[in-house]
Amino acid sequence: MRTKNACLAVSLFLAVCFASLLVGCRPQYWYLAASKSHDTIQLCLSNESTCPQPGGVSPNGISVYRWDNMHDNELVWETEPDNFETSGRISGLITYGVPPSGWTNKTAPPPLVCGKAYQVNPAADKLFGLKCDGSLVVLDFPHLEYFFRNLDPPDGWEKRRNN
């Protein structure tokens, strides 16, 4: 009897998990791409590996934290939709400091500084960094120390030169 109950419980659990996957109750992953043109940084947020993704994205808000070193960070820019129900969807392409149409800055952004890394939310595990040679890199937290030491990581990262 005990084995039957355990099998039933496991079967029910697996059925619920499978049903959740079918209806899209998976955690949403965010991708970040970044490019630089003169003094402007263009960000792209996507739930797919292509950016911008067809149909756009609907983040609850966008925030950027500046990392001055491995331990210290500060909120430097925050923007959110004026009305979540009518204007939350955006293409995913964002210029640092410029709120998307129908959005408002909650925190006015300071200029970007070379040698600093910037964490972008909702893609919280991704950052972009401005190197003082004029290049831009997209990195994750395991590569943050390499960035601050001005070293290329052994497994590389995406590096873009100023256009």
Side-chain angles (χ1 to χ4, degrees):
M1 186 67 134
R2 188 179 231 168
T3 305
K4 263 188 177 178
N5 287 342
C7 284
L8 181 62
V10 169
S11 297
L12 185 58
F13 174 75
L14 291 173
V16 168
C17 288
F18 182 70
S20 295
L21 287 173
L22 289 177
V23 297
C25 293
R26 304 174 288 209
Q28 197 167 39
Y29 186 80
W30 288 91
Y31 292 90
L32 172 69
S35 61
K36 181 179 177 191
S37 178
H38 306 290
D39 292 334
T40 302
I41 301 296
Q42 181 86 31
L43 306 172
C44 189
L45 293 169
S46 178
N47 301 125
E48 301 174 1
S49 59
T50 58
C51 208
Q53 85 181 41
V57 293
S58 295
N60 292 331
I62 300 166
S63 58
V64 176
Y65 290 80
R66 182 183 64 224
W67 285 77
D68 295 327
N69 56 50
M70 291 294 295
H71 306 287
D72 298 324
N73 66 66
E74 172 187 2
L75 178 67
V76 293
W77 181 46
E78 185 176 23
T79 185
E80 66 181 28
D82 296 332
N83 181 335
F84 287 98
E85 293 181 19
T86 61
S87 63
R89 184 162 287 287
I90 60 173
S91 71
L93 293 173
I94 304 129
T95 300
Y96 169 79
V98 179
S101 179
W103 288 49
T104 301
N105 279 347
K106 294 189 58 107
T107 304
L112 296 170
V113 179
C114 76
K116 308 296 181 184
Y118 295 86
Q119 177 184 4
V120 180
N121 291 312
D125 62 338
K126 298 293 182 195
L127 305 98
F128 68 90
L130 292 174
K131 297 189 98 177
C132 292
D133 67 0
S135 63
L136 172 75
V137 294
V138 175
L139 61 145
D140 52 16
F141 281 100
H143 293 103
L144 193 56
E145 185 172 359
Y146 290 99
F147 176 79
F148 285 125
R149 291 177 180 237
N150 202 27
L151 299 170
D152 287 332
D155 55 348
W157 55 27
E158 186 178 344
K159 188 173 185 178
R160 299 178 190 226
R161 294 267 169 213
N162 189 10
N163 295 338

